[in-house]
C-alpha cells in the first residue's frame, strides 16, 4: 500500500482537529458546570482533615460529658447533608444523616464516576462503622474511593457547627 | 536480524515510544510503582511469549511484540494495581495472542483483550497514567509526536483518521443531543486515553487490515462500537470493546477473502494414470 502523502496527512489532521474543536466547544457548558463542582467542593473537603467523631460511639468521653457540667456543644448539627467529591474520573455525591453527633445513615446519592458503582458499594457501611470519612482504599477503584472520601468530608464540613 | 535492522522495524518504534512514555509518566507522577508494574508486565509477557513460541516451534523467537503488549498494559492499568493482577493481565493477553489465532496471527489485539478480561475477571481499574491522563494538558504533545511517528512507520493513517473522524463526530453529536457524557470523553484523562488508544493500539499491524478501504471501515467500526458503548454505559472499557469489534471485522474479511481465493482456484485434477 502506498504511503499517504504529507499534504493529505496535514489536511486530514486539520479536519479531525476541527471536528474535535467543535465537540469541545459544544460541550464547554457541561464541562464548566462539572469544573465548578470540582472547585467548590474538592478543595474545601481536602483542606479539612478527616473529622473524627467523638460523640456517642462508646469512645472515652471528654470532661464536658459530665452531667454536672454545662451540656457539651455538639460538633455537628442534626440533619441530612449532601457532599460532593470529584476528580478527573468523575464525581460522587453522598447524603449523610447526622443525629446527636452520630452519623446514622450514609448513602451514595449520585454516582458519576467512570467505574462500576459496585466497587464502592461497601464504603457507606465503613463510614457508619468508623464514624468518619476514613475508608479502606478499594484496590482497583482508587479514584472512586478518593472521590467518595472527599464527598463524606464535604458533607461533614457542611454539617459542622460554626 | 541485526540490531540496526530491528531498530527500524515498526515494533521497535512502538516499543521505544512506549518505554519513553513509561519514564516520562513515572517522573511526572513521581511514582515508581508504574516502573515496577512495567517490569512485571513486560517480564511476564516476554517469558510466556518465548515459552509458547518454543512449544509452537516458531522459527522467529523475538518477543518484541510481547514487550509492546506488556508496556501497553502497564501504562493503562492503574499504578496501584497489585502485582499479581498485573502479571495475570499480561498472561491473559499473551494467551490470547497464541490461542485466539487465525493463520498464525492473533485475532484480537492482545493488550486490549487482556485489559478487557482484566476488568471483567479481576475488576482492575484503568487510569491510562502512561497517556499522561493525570499530568498537565501540554504533555499530550508527547502522544502526538510518538503517535504520528508510529502511524507513519506502520502505514496506518487511513485507519487512524477514519477512527478519530468518526469518534469525534459521534462525540459531537452526543454533545449536541446530550446523550452520554461527551464533555468527559473530549477532555483529559479520556482524550489522552483515546489518543493513546488510536495511535498505539488501533494501529497494531497483525490485528488490523492492510487495504485502505478496509482500514477506513475498521477505524469507523471501532469508533462507532466504542462510542455506542460509551453513550449507553459510560465506563472505561468502551475503547477496548470498539477495537475488538474492529478486530472481528478484520478476521472476517481475512477469512472471507481466503474462502474466495479457495473457490476461485481451479479444481485440482487427479493425475492421469497411464
Amino acid at each position: 500500500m502506498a504511503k499517504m502523502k504529507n499534504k493529505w496527512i496535514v489536511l486530514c489532521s486539520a479536519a479531525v482537529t476541527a471536528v474535535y474543536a467543535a465537540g469541545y466547544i459544544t460541550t464547554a457548558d457541561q464541562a464548566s458546570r462539572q469544573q465548578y463542582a470540582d472547585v467548590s467542593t474538592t478543595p474545601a473537603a481536602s483542606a479539612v482533615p478527616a473529622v473524627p467523631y467523638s460523640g456517642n460511639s462508646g469512645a472515652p468521653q471528654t470532661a464536658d460529658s459530665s452531667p454536672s457540667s454545662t451540656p457539651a456543644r455538639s460538633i455537628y448539627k442534626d440533619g441530612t447533608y449532601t457532599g460532593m467529591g470529584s476528580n478527573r474520573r468523575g464525581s460522587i455525591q453522598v447524603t449523610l444523616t447526622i443525629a446527636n453527633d452520630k452519623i446514622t445513615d450514609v448513602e451514595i446519592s449520585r454516582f458519576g464516576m467512570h467505574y462500576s458503582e459496585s466497587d464502592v458499594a461497601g464504603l457507606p457501611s465503613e463510614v457508619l462503622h468508623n464514624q468518619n470519612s476514613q475508608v479502606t482504599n478499594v484496590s482497583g477503584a482508587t479514584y472512586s474511593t478518593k472521590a467518595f472520601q472527599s464527598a463524606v468530608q464535604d458533607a461533614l464540613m457542611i454539617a459542622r457547627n460554626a | 536480524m541485526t540490531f540496526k535492522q530491528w531498530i527500524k522495524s515498526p515494533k521497535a518504534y512502538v516499543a521505544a515510544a512506549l518505554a519513553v512514555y513509561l519514564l516520562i509518566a513515572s517522573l511526572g507522577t513521581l511514582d515508581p510503582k508504574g516502573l515496577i508494574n512495567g517490569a512485571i508486565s513486560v517480564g511476564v509477557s516476554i517469558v510466556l511469549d518465548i515459552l509458547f513460541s518454543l512449544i509452537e516451534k516458531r522459527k522467529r523467537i523475538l518477543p518484541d511484540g510481547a514487550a509492546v503488549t506488556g508496556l501497553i498494559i502497564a501504562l493503562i492499568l492503574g499504578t496501584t494495581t497489585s502485582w499479581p493482577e498485573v502479571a495475570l493481565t499480561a498472561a491473559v493477553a499473551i494467551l490470547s495472542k497464541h490461542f485466539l489465532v487465525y493463520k498464525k496471527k492473533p485475532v484480537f489485539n492482545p493488550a486490549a483483550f487482556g485489559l478487557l478480561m482484566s476488568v471483567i475477571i479481576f475488576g482492575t481499574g484503568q487510569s491510562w497514567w502512561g497517556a499522561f491522563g493525570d499530568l498537565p494538558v501540554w504533555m499530550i504533545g508527547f502522544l502526538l509526536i510518538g503517535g504520528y511517528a508510529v502511524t507513519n512507520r506502520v502505514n496506518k493513517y487511513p485507519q487512524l483518521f477514519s477512527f478519530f473522524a468518526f469518534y469525534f463526530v459521534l462525540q459531537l453529536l452526543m454533545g449536541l443531543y446530550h446523550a452520554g457524557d461527551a464533555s468527559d470523553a473530549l477532555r483529559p484523562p479520556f482524550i489522552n486515553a483515546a489518543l493513546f488508544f488510536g495511535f498505539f493500539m488501533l494501529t497494531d499491524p497483525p490485528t488490523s487490515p492492510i487495504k485502505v478501504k478496509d482500514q477506513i471501515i475498521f477505524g469507523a467500526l471501532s469508533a462507532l462500537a466504542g462510542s455506542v458503548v460509551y453513550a449507553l454505559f459510560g465506563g472505561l472499557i468502551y475503547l477496548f470493546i470498539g477495537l475488538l469489534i474492529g478486530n472481528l471485522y478484520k478476521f472476517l474479511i481475512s477469512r472471507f477473502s481466503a474462502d474466495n481465493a479457495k473457490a476461485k482456484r481451479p479444481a485440482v485434477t487427479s493425475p492421469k494414470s497411464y
Side-chain angles (χ1 to χ4, degrees):
Chain A
M1 193 192 94
K3 285 237 174 200
M4 205 170 180
K5 286 181 180 169
N6 284 344
K7 183 180 77 178
W8 285 107
I9 294 169
V10 172
L11 276 173
C12 289
S13 299
V16 166
T17 308
V19 179
Y20 169 75
Y24 191 93
I25 293 163
T26 304
T27 55
D29 278 354
Q30 202 183 337
S32 65
R33 279 198 297 274
Q34 283 174 2
Q35 205 171 21
Y36 174 74
D38 289 358
V39 171
S40 63
T41 60
T42 309
S46 59
V48 179
V51 185
Y53 168 71
S54 59
N56 303 332
S57 64
Q61 299 295 302
T62 60
D64 286 350
S65 62
S66 160
S68 59
S69 64
T70 51
R73 188 163 181 236
S74 56
I75 299 169
Y76 302 114
K77 292 169 274 188
D78 287 357
T80 300
Y81 304 91
T82 58
M84 280 280 286
S86 307
N87 54 44
R88 280 180 162 191
R89 266 98 185 159
S91 60
I92 291 179
Q93 186 186 62
V94 297
T95 304
L96 289 187
T97 304
I98 295 176
N100 299 322
D101 264 357
K102 186 171 182 178
I103 303 170
T104 57
D105 189 42
V106 184
E107 65 176 65
I108 296 172
S109 42
R110 197 176 70 81
F111 187 84
M113 299 296 291
H114 288 265
Y115 298 93
S116 167
E117 188 171 354
S118 61
D119 292 342
V120 291
L123 296 184
S125 58
E126 258 195 78
V127 171
L128 277 177
H129 179 261
N130 296 341
Q131 286 293 313
N132 63 42
S133 61
Q134 293 303 299
V135 287
T136 317
N137 180 50
V138 179
S139 174
T142 308
Y143 294 102
S144 299
T145 310
K146 284 179 182 169
F148 175 83
Q149 213 164 340
S150 297
V152 173
Q153 283 191 336
D154 185 44
L156 287 174
M157 264 296 291
I158 297 164
R160 273 195 106 162
N161 265 320
Chain B
M1 186 190 282
T2 64
F3 181 74
K4 267 188 181 177
Q5 285 171 320
W6 179 78
I7 205 74
K8 288 176 186 168
S9 70
K11 280 176 186 167
Y13 266 61
V14 184
L18 297 178
V20 170
Y21 291 170
L22 183 77
L23 286 174
I24 294 173
S26 297
L27 286 171
T29 52
L30 294 172
D31 185 1
K33 284 178 198 157
L35 284 172
I36 297 166
N37 281 0
I40 293 164
S41 181
V42 171
V44 169
S45 299
I46 287 177
V47 168
L48 275 181
D49 195 55
I50 291 174
L51 199 67
F52 282 120
S53 298
L54 287 171
I55 294 167
E56 291 161 10
K57 293 178 181 169
R58 292 198 176 197
K59 285 179 187 172
R60 180 185 181 274
I61 302 177
L62 186 64
D64 46 2
V68 169
T69 299
L71 281 167
I72 291 173
I73 288 169
L75 293 170
I76 292 175
L77 285 181
T79 54
T80 54
T81 311
S82 68
W83 74 263
E85 285 175 346
V86 174
L88 286 168
T89 303
V92 171
I94 299 301
L95 281 170
S96 82
K97 183 184 169 183
H98 288 273
F99 287 101
L100 300 174
V101 292
Y102 178 69
K103 290 188 172 177
K104 294 185 177 176
K105 281 185 180 177
V107 173
F108 298 113
N109 180 301
F113 186 85
L115 286 162
L116 182 63
M117 288 300 123
S118 180
V119 174
I120 295 167
I121 301 168
F122 314 120
T124 50
Q126 291 150 33
S127 69
W128 297 81
W129 69 281
F132 316 117
D134 293 315
L135 294 170
V137 176
W138 61 263
M139 293 183 85
I140 284 177
F142 290 126
L143 290 181
L144 298 176
I145 294 166
Y148 270 93
V150 164
T151 308
N152 187 50
R153 186 67 192 86
V154 295
N155 208 7
K156 296 281 180 186
Y157 277 122
Q159 184 170 301
L160 184 89
F161 289 132
S162 164
F163 170 76
F164 281 126
F166 275 90
Y167 182 71
F168 290 141
V169 164
L170 290 166
Q171 294 299 331
L172 170 64
L173 291 173
M174 281 165 62
L176 284 171
Y177 293 103
H178 301 285
D181 200 349
S183 70
D184 270 356
L186 296 171
R187 287 167 177 78
F190 302 96
I191 186 63
N192 302 55
L195 289 171
F196 183 94
F197 169 83
F199 284 127
F200 301 103
M201 297 179 77
L202 196 84
T203 53
D204 178 36
T207 54
S208 60
I210 297 168
K211 288 180 187 171
V212 173
K213 186 186 128 197
D214 293 336
Q215 281 196 34
I216 292 169
I217 296 171
F218 178 93
L221 202 58
S222 300
L224 180 67
S227 298
V228 167
V229 171
Y230 182 73
L232 292 177
F233 307 107
L236 284 167
I237 56 174
Y238 57 99
L239 292 169
F240 303 144
I241 295 174
L243 179 52
L244 298 188
I245 301 283
N247 291 155
L248 271 180
Y249 165 74
K250 195 258 176 183
F251 163 69
L252 289 173
I253 54 169
S254 302
R255 184 130 196 206
F256 182 70
S257 59
D259 286 350
N260 267 358
K262 203 186 268 181
K264 280 178 186 169
R265 213 174 294 149
V268 179
T269 52
S270 56
K272 285 177 186 174
S273 56
Y274 293 99

